[in-house]
């Protein structure tokens, strides 16, 4: 049997009629830039996330970049984020001329409060908590209060966590609709959500050349209307998507419960499943074994932690992402479990 890591074809075929109709509708109206579909998606997203505003942009990376920019992050400022993340989370800080301050992660793959506190200086202007794999990076009310006192903003990197509960404490949440995210478009797309009226208005200007009065330079980072139309189809199925991904994760948990030497991800309340990451000291050997058995896995998207921090390095060398999405068939999930179990039994 062959088990693929992602299933763009299955995703398309399952909703082909609706997706094709959405695409045709946009074309027949010639509605390509900043049109009704984009507005509809923004309002659907704001509703889903429970925020007042959603601003569609080009990508999750731009969502982060524009959030920091709108908040006035500039050269000389420091922004704290986790060493264990996709490079975009740190890249956007440097793009603005500010300094990324990367803190080590813990066994749950997230940065923890004590490390954030330790990293704060007079120059800290923002932090970017990463809700990695769909597990929410929670901050205590205490810390949130202290950050507010110090005028340090929280910009949440929620690119892997659509549908999760317990996020939304930051001034903005940044979303990615890259094809293989929980909600995936047919190209690049992203969005920012916020409750702040003034910030939302500023972000709408910045993403579209600051045409209001040209008092600042903006950029072109609009959410493409065709992508928005595709997303309007897919977002209707979001609860089903989240449920099915969770079912896969629960099957893995049950299947691997007696396997020694394999560490499973945290099943924290309210989390969603962008990724199911297992951890083992025999990672490379397991990767190869799965590959030879027809199972596609991913070592990670973060080939190296940006600064050499101890836990981040260890985690990079011991983690493996196994297939976990709503398009997997039951026998495929069972096969993954069986093969991983046999790996541990043969040794
Ligand atoms: C995907 C992702 C991004 C970037 O999103 P793009 O839409 O690909 O630009 C940023 N941070 C994290 C954690 C991501 O997973």
């Amino acid at each position: 049997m062959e088990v693929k890591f992602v299933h763009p074809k299955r995703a398309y075929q399952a909703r082909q009629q609706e997706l094709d109709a959405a695409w045709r509708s946009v074309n027949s109206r010639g509605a390509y830039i900043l049109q009704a579909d984009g507005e509809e998606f923004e309002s659907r997203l704001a509703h889903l996330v429970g925020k007042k505003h959603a601003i569609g942009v080009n990508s999750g990376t731009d969502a982060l970049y524009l959030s920091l920019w709108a908040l006035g992050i500039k050269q000389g400022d420091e922004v704290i984020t986790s060493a264990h993340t996709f490079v975009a989370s740190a890249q956007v800080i440097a793009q603005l001329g500010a300094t990324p301050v990367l803190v080590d992660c813990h066994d749950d793959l997230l940065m923890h409060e004590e490390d954030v506190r330790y990293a704060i200086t007079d120059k800290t202007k923002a932090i970017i908590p990463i809700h990695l794999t769909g597990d929410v990076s929670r901050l205590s009310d205490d810390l949130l209060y202290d950050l507010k006192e110090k005028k340090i903003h929280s910009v949440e990197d929620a690119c892997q966590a659509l549908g999760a509960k317990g996020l939304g404490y930051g001034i903005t949440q940044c979303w990615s609709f890259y094809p293989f995210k929980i909600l995936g478009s047919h190209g690049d797309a992203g969005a920012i959500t916020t409750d702040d009226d003034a910030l939302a208005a500023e972000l709408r200007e910045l993403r579209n050349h600051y045409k209001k009065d040209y008092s600042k330079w903006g950029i072109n980072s609009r959410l493409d209307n065709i992508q928005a139309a595709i997303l309007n189809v897919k977002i209707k199925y979001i609860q089903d998507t989240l449920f099915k991904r969770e079912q896969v994760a629960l099957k893995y948990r049950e299947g691997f419960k007696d396997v020694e030497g394999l560490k499973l991800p945290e099943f924290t309340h309210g989390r969603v499943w962008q990724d199911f990451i297992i951890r083992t000291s025999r990672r490379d050997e397991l990767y190869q074994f799965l590959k030879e058995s027809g199972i596609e896995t991913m070592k990670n998207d973060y080939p190296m932690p940006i600064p050499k921090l101890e836990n981040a390095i260890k985690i990079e060398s011991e983690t493996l992402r196994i297939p976990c999405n709503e398009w997997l068939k039951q026998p495929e999930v069972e096969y993954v479990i069986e093969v991983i179990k046999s790996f541990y039994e043969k040794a």
Side-chain angles (χ1 to χ4, degrees):
M1 192 186 297
E2 227 195 310
V3 185
K4 295 246 171 252
F5 191 73
V6 287
H7 289 100
K9 260 199 247 167
R10 286 184 191 172
Y12 173 58
Q13 280 160 359
R15 317 225 193 280
Q16 184 167 0
Q17 265 190 335
E18 272 184 280
L19 292 165
D20 287 353
W23 155 268
R24 273 198 303 273
S25 160
V26 171
N27 283 323
S28 65
R29 284 176 283 131
Y32 297 118
I33 302 289
L34 293 179
Q35 299 293 317
D37 310 79
E39 280 168 34
E40 180 187 334
F41 178 66
E42 286 175 344
S43 88
R44 281 181 185 276
L45 179 68
H47 179 75
L48 175 66
V49 176
K51 290 283 155 184
K52 236 168 125 180
H53 307 280
I55 301 99
V57 296
N58 257 197
S59 65
T61 304
D62 276 2
L64 289 160
Y65 177 72
L66 287 167
S67 291
L68 294 179
W69 190 10
L71 291 168
I73 306 300
K74 55 180 188 320
Q75 192 159 17
D77 296 341
E78 292 178 357
V79 179
I80 298 170
T81 192
S82 169
H84 186 67
T85 180
F86 182 53
V87 67
S89 327
Q91 165 196 314
V92 292
I93 303 168
Q95 263 178 287
L96 286 161
T99 306
V101 176
L102 296 140
V103 301
D104 210 353
C105 62
H106 288 250
D107 284 348
D108 60 3
L109 312 183
L110 306 174
M111 69 178 182
H112 283 191
E113 180 151 344
E114 63 272 21
D115 303 308
V116 173
R117 282 191 185 278
Y118 186 74
I120 292 174
T121 72
D122 298 348
K123 294 182 179 162
T124 310
K125 290 286 150 47
I127 71 166
I128 306 181
I130 322 277
H131 307 310
L132 204 71
T133 77
D135 197 7
V136 174
S137 186
R138 290 168 200 275
L139 304 181
S140 70
D141 290 344
D142 239 20
L143 179 63
L144 290 173
Y145 179 84
D146 290 347
L147 292 174
K148 208 168 174 186
E149 286 289 289
K150 296 187 160 97
K151 300 198 164 46
I152 298 172
H153 301 290
S154 302
V155 169
E156 299 171 69
D157 183 338
C159 290
Q160 299 191 1
L162 188 64
K165 297 187 177 65
L167 52 70
Y169 52 77
I171 180 110
T172 68
Q173 298 75 43
C174 301
W175 307 97
S176 168
F177 309 112
Y178 177 82
F180 303 130
K181 299 293 163 101
I182 288 171
L183 176 62
S185 60
H186 291 179
D188 277 312
I192 304 162
T193 51
T194 183
D195 278 331
D196 188 310
D197 297 340
L199 188 62
E202 180 74 358
L203 287 164
R204 285 186 192 287
E205 288 299 326
L206 285 174
R207 75 165 175 186
N208 190 25
H209 305 293
Y210 220 87
K211 284 195 220 165
K212 147 177 104 162
D213 56 13
Y214 296 126
S215 63
K216 296 181 189 173
W217 301 114
I219 58 171
N220 173 1
S221 182
R222 302 174 294 238
L223 170 61
D224 188 281
N225 201 58
I226 282 186
Q227 298 306 338
I230 300 288
L231 290 167
N232 282 331
V233 171
K234 292 191 162 187
I235 200 172
K236 288 187 222 152
Y237 299 97
I238 189 71
Q239 296 310 333
D240 184 59
T241 300
L242 295 171
F243 177 76
K244 286 184 174 148
R245 282 174 175 257
E246 188 181 33
Q247 292 308 105
V248 174
L250 289 168
K251 281 222 181 63
Y252 282 149
R253 176 165 78 170
E254 178 62 21
F256 297 137
K257 70 174 191 288
D258 298 325
V259 180
E260 262 176 63
L262 195 63
K263 191 177 178 301
L264 301 184
E266 313 258 339
F267 279 68
T268 44
H269 178 71
R271 69 157 300 161
V272 292
W273 295 93
Q274 171 68 54
D275 267 324
F276 194 96
I277 298 193
I278 55 175
R279 188 166 169 188
T280 164
S281 56
R282 298 167 64 197
R283 197 272 310 268
D284 290 346
E285 212 187 316
L286 177 60
Y287 171 82
Q288 199 53 35
F289 185 77
L290 290 172
K291 195 171 165 186
E292 281 157 18
S293 311
I295 299 170
E296 189 183 15
T297 62
M298 305 275 270
K299 286 195 186 172
N300 47 55
D301 239 0
Y302 334 125
M304 62 166 94
I306 307 155
K308 304 281 178 200
L309 295 176
E310 202 179 331
N311 280 328
I313 290 172
K314 201 156 161 34
I315 283 169
E316 290 298 344
S317 68
E318 294 185 349
T319 47
L320 193 64
R321 301 198 275 161
I322 64 175
C324 181
N325 59 67
E326 67 273 35
W327 307 109
L328 287 167
K329 297 181 175 145
Q330 180 105 343
E332 293 173 327
V333 178
E334 282 160 10
Y335 180 64
V336 173
I337 294 171
E338 187 191 310
V339 173
I340 293 182
K341 278 170 92 169
S342 76
F343 172 81
Y344 281 96
E345 277 156 17
K346 82 179 165 62

